[in-house]
Each structure stands twice: as C-alpha cells, then as structure tokens.
Amino acid sequence: MMKLWKRASGALKDRKSLFSISFSSRKTSFFRNPDLDSAIIHATSHDDSSVDYHNAHNVYKWVRSSPSNLKPLVHALSSRVNRTRSWIVAVKALMLVHGVLCCKVTSLQELRRLPFDLSDFSDAHSRPSKTWGFNAFIRAYFSFLDHYAFFFSEQIRGRGKNTHQDSLVQELERIQKLQSLLHMLLQIRPMAENMKKTLILEAMDCVVLEIFDVYGRICSSIAKLLIKIHPGVEKAEAVMALKIVKKATSQGEDLALYFEFCKEFGVSNAHEVPKFVRIPEEDIEAIEKAINGVEEKEERKDEEEEEKSIILVERPEFKTIITDKWEVFEDDFCFTCKDIKETDQDKDYNVDPSLLPLIVIDEPVYFTHTLPDLITF
C-alpha cells in the first residue's frame, strides 16, 4: 500500500511539473525550451521501475542540434534536481547528465561543472536505514561526473590552444587525471542489500561502460608513454612515469575485483570482462634505469661542482723569523680567497662548463622532488 501511495504521489508531482511548463516558459522564454523541459521531466520521472530511453535520447538530440540549447538544458536540469529529495529522480538525472557528456559536443566546454550539487544528497521519502546505500551511490556518482565534466572541458579547451604535439609532462598529467577518474568510478557501487533494483542496475551498466572507455584510454596512453621513456629524459618525468605504471598495475587488480562484484550483483555489461593489461617487468625496470641514470648523472655533476669549488692555496715554505723577543711561524697565518696565487687560477681542473648549473645556489645537489597533486580539480 505504501509503495502504491509513493508511486501515485511521484506521478502527481511529475504531472504538476509538466503542467507548469507552459506557464513558466512564457515568462522566461530565453532560458526555457518547453519541448526540452518536457523531455527532461519524463526522463527523470519518479518511476523507479523503468527508464524512459525515448525522452533521454530526445534530450541528447537537442544537445547535439545546437549550442544554444545548452543554457535551457542547464536551467531545466538544475531546477529539477535542486528541488528533489527523491533518490529515484537524482539517479535518473545523473544518468541523463552522463549521457549528455557522452555526446562530446564542443559546446559542453562551457559546462565545466555540473549545474547542481548532490555531494551531500539525502533521500527524504524513507528512513535513513533504508536509503543510506542509495545516498552513498548518488554522492559517488555525482563526484565522478562533476570531475569528469571539468576534465572534459579542459580537454576541449586544450585542443583549441595547443597546435603542436603535447609535451611528455602534459601526457603524464593527462594519464594521472584519467587514473583519478577511474578511481572515482570504482567507488560507485551498490552497498546495501535492498539496492538490487532496475534503476540501479541501469546506472551500473552506464558506469561499467564508462570504465571500459577510461581504462582503454589509460592503457593506450601508457603504451605510447613507454616508448618515450629513455635514459635521456628528465628525472621528474621518469619518476612520474614510474608512479603511473605502478598505479596502473594496482588499478588492474582493483578492476578485476570490481567486475567480479558487478557480475555477482547482476550488472549485464559486466559479463564481458575486459582483458586487464599487466605492465611487463622489463618496462618497469627500464623506467627505473632511466631514473637511476639521471641520478648518476647528477652525482657526477655534484662531484665535479665540489671539485671546482675547492679553494686551492699554495702554502709558502716554512721558515723561522728569529727576533730578540719571540718566534713567529708563518704557518700560523690565516689564508683567504685573496691569497690564491695566479698560478692556481691558471690551472685546468677538467670541469666541463656544460655540466654545471647556470645558477648556483646554496642548496644541496640532491632535491626531494615533491610531485604536485595533478589530479585535484
């Protein structure tokens, strides 16, 4: 009886929203598209038994048709989600946004972040003991999509600015961000026993498809990266590459466990388990050799710099000056830099100037390279 009442109440809310479209669109016609608003309401209805694919694809068509439809989309979605306290509407809205981002149209670079905030979502239609799993699911899904929207926007903007091939550091940073997105994807999972519902299974299908895409891009990027890592690269780049490769190995193991969980839960797209790539040990050793090669080169620079910085002083022959009062030994004198003889300055100490730093500072040669947090948005 309670379920029937909730469904009737949800259907009534959806009808009320559809009825209000015609009135609100007359007042704010610039920000509203009645057809798009109607499609969004149908696609994010309170019905937890099904997903309205027809209206969802209508929304995608509007997004692809013209950049001018982005503002009405943002306005309608934010209005719909900011008013809801239903986990059903929230999940459907996230799935809809996920599909919009997958359209990959250039106008989406203006989106940057999601037009609503579900980071602290809590369902208000049932007891917390029954909805905590749905709340956690929505928060994790939102976190991924919010960061993915920013990453996608950065990629589009970067294509417009960079006319030349990306540098090695830019490629490394991009892989690190993809690995961060993959980590967020792996946090999206149903954790409560009462979550085996049609809507959650549909959302998990979307998540699994996204994992295929992100993981595939990581693997292809790492394959290209390994070719570029050689003993001549900078130490910071080699260290970043090694960190990426080790994280890829760890994430491969996490993915295997995640797909096993999804298969047991009943996610249909998880039955096609991808082939998780293992990085060959020789490739990891090659990167470590590149790092060690840079360290050895820096060590040689250090030794040569120390050799050059030694002040050589030629002490005169010891002789005693006899007076009628005391004896003074010339080796008791203190020598400074001004006491270096011209013959010392003309000596060749076999130091290659090209190996010396351009700016010499009073810091040790070995630095602890603290890698910046490249995956914080």
Side-chain angles (χ1 to χ4, degrees), residues 22-286:
S22 58
F23 296 99
S24 59
S25 61
R26 295 173 186 173
K27 299 178 181 179
T28 56
S29 58
F30 180 75
F31 294 104
R32 304 299 292 267
N33 180 329
D35 294 329
L36 180 59
D37 287 1
S38 176
I40 289 174
I41 292 172
H42 280 103
T44 60
S45 68
H46 288 75
D47 183 8
D48 66 339
S49 62
S50 64
V51 177
D52 192 335
Y53 291 102
H54 174 72
N55 279 289
H57 284 286
N58 282 340
V59 173
Y60 306 152
K61 289 177 183 178
W62 281 106
V63 172
R64 294 190 188 101
S65 63
S66 173
S68 62
N69 290 322
L70 183 61
K71 284 187 177 179
L73 170 73
V74 169
H75 184 273
L77 264 176
S78 59
S79 298
R80 178 71 166 166
V81 176
N82 289 333
R83 289 199 306 263
T84 191
R85 296 296 300 276
S86 167
W87 71 264
I88 301 169
V89 175
V91 169
K92 286 187 175 183
L94 291 172
M95 292 171 64
L96 187 64
V97 171
H98 198 167
V100 168
L101 292 174
C102 289
C103 293
K104 291 183 169 58
V105 293
T106 54
S107 59
L108 290 173
Q109 66 177 307
E110 303 299 329
L111 191 60
R112 295 185 69 82
R113 296 285 191 179
L114 296 194
F116 49 80
D117 185 8
L118 293 175
S119 59
D120 195 31
F121 177 82
S122 180
D123 184 273
H125 300 287
S126 299
R127 293 192 300 271
S129 59
K130 291 185 176 181
T131 59
W132 69 268
F134 299 98
N135 297 338
F137 185 89
I138 289 167
R139 293 171 188 175
Y141 200 179
F142 167 79
S143 179
F144 162 72
L145 290 175
D146 193 43
H147 285 84
Y148 180 74
F150 186 81
F151 172 78
F152 180 67
S153 175
E154 275 190 332
Q155 295 301 300
I156 297 178
R157 293 171 185 270
R159 289 171 194 166
K161 294 179 181 179
N162 297 334
T163 56
H164 303 289
Q165 190 175 7
D166 290 343
S167 67
L168 181 57
V169 173
Q170 288 174 318
E171 291 182 22
L172 290 167
E173 291 175 354
R174 179 175 171 275
I175 298 173
Q176 286 184 322
K177 290 175 182 179
L178 285 170
Q179 288 181 325
S180 177
L181 290 175
L182 181 59
H183 174 73
M184 292 181 185
L185 280 166
L186 296 179
Q187 308 310 307
I188 306 171
R189 63 175 68 197
M191 294 182 289
E193 295 181 357
N194 63 335
M195 294 183 68
K196 189 170 283 190
K197 297 182 178 293
T198 301
L199 185 56
I200 296 299
L201 290 170
E202 292 283 350
M204 286 299 296
D205 274 335
C206 296
V207 171
V208 168
L209 289 175
E210 190 65 55
I211 288 175
F212 283 136
D213 181 60
V214 173
Y215 184 67
R217 289 156 72 183
I218 291 173
C219 291
S220 61
S221 298
I222 290 178
K224 297 175 183 177
L225 170 68
L226 293 174
I227 300 174
K228 299 180 181 180
I229 299 298
H230 52 81
V233 300
E234 296 292 332
K235 181 180 177 181
E237 295 173 347
V239 170
M240 287 175 66
L242 183 61
K243 185 178 180 181
I244 286 171
V245 168
K246 288 185 175 180
K247 187 168 186 177
T249 303
S250 174
Q251 285 189 326
E253 297 171 356
D254 295 338
L255 279 168
L257 296 174
Y258 186 84
F259 272 82
E260 281 298 320
F261 167 81
C262 290
K263 286 172 63 178
E264 292 178 2
F265 190 79
V267 181
S268 58
N269 286 335
H271 290 288
E272 298 179 5
V273 181
K275 184 179 180 181
F276 301 112
V277 179
R278 291 189 176 275
I279 310 297
E281 286 295 329
E282 52 267 25
D283 290 334
I284 298 177
E285 291 174 1

